[in-house]
Amino acid sequence: MPKVTRKPLIAANWKMFKTPDEAVAFVRAFIPLVATYSHAEIVLSASPTLLPTVVAAAKGTAIHIAAQDMHWKESGAYTGETSPLQLKAIAVTHVLIGHSERRQYFNETDETVNLKLKAALAHGLVPIVCVGELLSEREAGKTASVLESQTAAALVGIDPAIAGPLVIAYEPVWAIGTGKTATPEMADEAHKIIRAQIAKSLSPEIAASTRILYGGSVKPASTAALLALEDIDGALVGGASLEPESFSQIVANSAV
Ligand code: PGA
């Protein structure tokens, strides 16, 4: 499937920032800034306490709301966790899975990523599964094998028939919040490795239609060059998504 048929997806990752008031102020300022852009799907990923407020503030617009994580079970004695049913009940539509900060600080493993991905697909949430190599892995020449093994592990036992909504985000860990961006060529090469692994794990058809986002210090000025490449279908944006102006410029610059 040529790139032109994959709709760009531009996702904000607010991480553990913003109070409900600040989140509402963002959405109110952001809506008019992106009102005329229909070339991209826009997603805001917020902390659990912000989700109902942000969903309400974005109601009636084309802006989708994502959770930054979830548990794979529908309910149970899992203190502190949020279930797919709870997210669905408040009209959250997307969910980040396996962000490197979750892998690094909160014991997220390839196995839990796989369980969460299965749960998201089963519940009709659009999963954005994050993969990416550490600096030490890149320097040791292991980037391709890390991306293949993280992608393959995430996709174990996934039925290709329900994998249509799958989104993958390639986020080199060394580029997150550091101001260091992978060059567009480095990112495109990584995306091709991931797409080839999706073809192996699921099917060539799913691989061709799956959107693969780049994340790691994306800024308005770096967006167009990234999105211009064949296998880069969008962006997952941390720091530059916290202000409506810069995030709306990233959305604008993704129209290539
Ligand atoms: P960054 O974060 O844009 O601040 O590097 C990206 C992410 O962690 O998703």
Side-chain angles (χ1 to χ4, degrees), residues 25 30 38 54 62 103 105 110 112 121 131 146 167-168 205 225 239:
F30 183 66
S38 55
V54 176
R103 294 181 190 254
Y105 306 129
D110 285 341
T112 56
L121 291 171
V131 298
V146 168
V167 178
I168 305 269
E205 292 72 26

Side-chain angles (χ1 to χ4, degrees), residues 4-251:
V4 70
T5 56
R6 297 191 295 264
K7 186 170 187 168
L9 194 165
I10 306 296
N13 176 10
W14 286 349
K15 310 193 179 187
M16 199 173 69
F17 291 100
K18 298 192 186 294
T19 63
D21 285 352
E22 289 165 352
V24 170
F26 177 106
V27 176
R28 288 200 181 132
F30 183 66
I31 289 170
L33 297 176
V34 295
T36 59
Y37 301 132
S38 55
H39 66 275
E41 186 174 327
I42 303 172
V43 176
L44 304 177
S45 318
S47 301
T49 54
L50 305 182
L51 289 172
T53 322
V54 176
V55 166
K59 201 171 174 171
T61 74
I63 300 165
H64 300 275
I65 308 305
Q68 298 174 357
D69 184 34
M70 67 170 194
H71 199 276
W72 56 90
K73 292 266 180 77
E74 292 186 352
S75 61
Y78 302 102
T79 303
E81 292 293 318
T82 307
S83 83
L85 284 185
Q86 292 171 325
L87 296 177
K88 289 288 287 182
I90 59 165
V92 165
T93 52
H94 294 57
V95 60
L96 302 186
I97 297 174
H99 189 280
S100 66
E101 287 152 15
R102 307 261 1 135
R103 294 181 190 254
Q104 202 176 342
Y105 306 129
F106 302 100
N107 209 24
E108 186 85 88
T109 64
D110 285 341
E111 289 69 35
T112 56
V113 167
N114 176 249
L115 290 167
K116 291 174 183 187
L117 174 56
K118 284 178 178 152
L121 291 171
H123 288 279
L125 289 158
V126 178
I128 303 177
V129 177
C130 305
V131 298
E133 81 286 1
L134 304 170
L135 183 59
S136 56
E137 292 167 336
R138 177 164 283 271
E139 287 174 348
K142 291 187 188 152
T143 300
S145 64
V146 168
L147 297 179
E148 284 163 1
S149 75
Q150 285 183 356
T151 305
L155 299 179
V156 167
I158 301 289
D159 178 0
I162 62 158
L166 174 69
V167 178
I168 305 269
Y170 167 58
E171 296 207 307
V173 178
W174 49 271
I176 295 177
T178 59
K180 289 185 200 156
T181 321
T183 63
E185 292 69 30
M186 279 158 88
D188 198 54
E189 195 188 335
H191 286 214
K192 285 183 166 46
I193 292 165
I194 294 166
R195 202 177 299 285
Q197 185 60 51
I198 300 170
K200 260 193 227 165
S201 293
L202 297 177
S203 73
E205 292 72 26
I206 294 291
S209 63
T210 297
R211 288 170 299 174
I212 305 179
L213 318 183
Y214 170 76
S217 297
V218 173
K219 303 284 181 269
S222 57
T223 305
L226 286 162
L227 269 286
L229 291 184
E230 176 65 26
D231 280 288
I232 302 181
D233 307 311
L236 179 57
V237 187
S241 75
L242 291 171
E243 297 300 330
E245 291 74 21
S246 61
F247 190 54
S248 68
Q249 280 164 24
I250 289 173
V251 174

